[in-house]
């Protein structure tokens, strides 16, 4: 009887230990969920050209500016329509003028198409102080937080000619301007990393 009672006590102790372990695991899981929820709550979901901050860090994805590419797309559609009309007219009345106009519009359409195909919208983001730029010329990375990355700001956001020049040894400066990113948002993020730069 004593052995049976001791075995029962041991089973109760083991069950209590398992319950305590399960409670600690559940508490740790709740803490992880709370941290993940707090991080997700810090994400800036504002629309427009506002950058999206990730967590509590200074990671930012800038909204790409697509206005120029959209304009080229509209011009391409107009050129295609004009070429189609000119080709139809030239088919009905193959005069020198009509054929020349159709050929000229066709050539113009090809030029606009080539410009649109060759141009890509620049995408800028900041990860752990590293500015990454993806564009038609390739991928460029600049360390915003390093004093060894010389940066020149020309003008102020909202002014014509505003730009930020990243100086490179033995190479031409890389220029970020208003055609690539919203100037105000870019300067706000730049000042987080380089508050003392003029």
């Amino acid at each position: 009887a004593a052995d049976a009672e001791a075995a029962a006590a041991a089973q109760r102790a083991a069950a209590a230990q398992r319950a305590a372990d399960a409670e600690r695991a559940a508490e740790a899981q709740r803490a992880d969920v709370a941290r993940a929820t707090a991080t997700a709550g810090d994400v800036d979901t504002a629309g427009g050209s506002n950058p999206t901050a990730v967590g509590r860090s200074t990671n930012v994805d800038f909204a790409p500016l697509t206005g120029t590419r959209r304009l080229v797309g509209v011009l391409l559609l107009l050129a295609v329509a004009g070429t189609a009309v000119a080709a139809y007219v030239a088919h009905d009345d193959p005069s020198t003028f009509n054929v020349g106009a159709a050929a000229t519009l066709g050539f113009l359409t090809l030029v606009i198409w080539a410009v649109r195909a060759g141009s890509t919208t620049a995408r800028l983001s900041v990860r752990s102080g590293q500015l990454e730029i993806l564009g038609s010329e390739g991928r460029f990375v600049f360390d915003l937080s390093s004093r060894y990355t010389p940066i020149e700001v020309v003008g102020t956001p909202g002014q014509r000619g505003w730009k930020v020049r990243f100086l490179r040894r033995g190479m031409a400066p890389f220029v970020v301007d208003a055609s690539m990113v919203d100037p105000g948002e870019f300067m706000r993020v730049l000042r987080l990393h380089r508050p003392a730069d003029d």
Side-chain angles (χ1 to χ4, degrees):
D3 290 343
E5 189 174 333
Q11 288 178 351
R12 284 194 298 271
Q17 182 63 40
R18 285 195 298 271
D21 291 344
E23 181 61 29
R24 279 195 295 272
E27 185 62 34
Q29 188 173 15
R30 283 194 294 272
D32 289 343
V33 170
R35 279 195 299 273
T37 302
T39 300
D42 288 334
V43 175
D44 178 9
T45 56
S49 62
N50 289 340
T52 301
V54 180
R56 296 182 185 276
S57 70
T58 55
N59 293 350
V60 172
D61 291 320
F62 293 98
L65 301 183
T66 58
T68 302
R69 186 170 173 82
R70 191 176 299 123
L71 175 62
V72 174
V74 170
L75 290 176
L76 179 61
L77 288 176
L78 293 174
V80 167
T83 301
V85 170
Y88 179 78
V89 171
H91 181 268
D92 282 352
D93 180 16
S95 66
T96 303
F97 175 79
N98 289 342
V99 172
T104 301
L105 284 172
F107 177 74
L108 181 63
T109 300
L110 290 176
V111 169
I112 295 174
W113 176 81
V115 168
R116 188 174 192 278
S119 65
T120 58
T121 301
R123 296 187 179 277
L124 286 75
S125 61
V126 176
R127 293 285 180 274
S128 301
Q130 303 281 319
L131 172 65
E132 181 182 50
I133 304 167
L134 297 173
S136 58
E137 298 178 2
R139 175 179 178 268
F140 301 90
V141 178
F142 300 98
D143 189 352
L144 297 181
S145 57
S146 171
R147 295 295 170 181
Y148 296 103
T149 303
I151 300 173
E152 290 182 354
V153 178
V154 179
T156 57
Q159 282 185 340
R160 188 178 183 87
W162 170 87
K163 59 187 172 183
V164 178
R165 292 158 40 98
F166 292 87
L167 307 182
R168 301 179 289 179
R169 184 177 301 170
M171 301 175 66
F174 187 92
V175 177
V176 172
D177 58 26
S179 69
M180 302 166 65
V181 69
D182 179 89
E185 296 298 339
F186 186 82
M187 288 304 299
R188 182 183 67 79
V189 174
L190 179 61
R191 292 307 183 205
L192 292 176
H193 298 279
R194 304 290 284 270
D197 282 354
D198 295 328

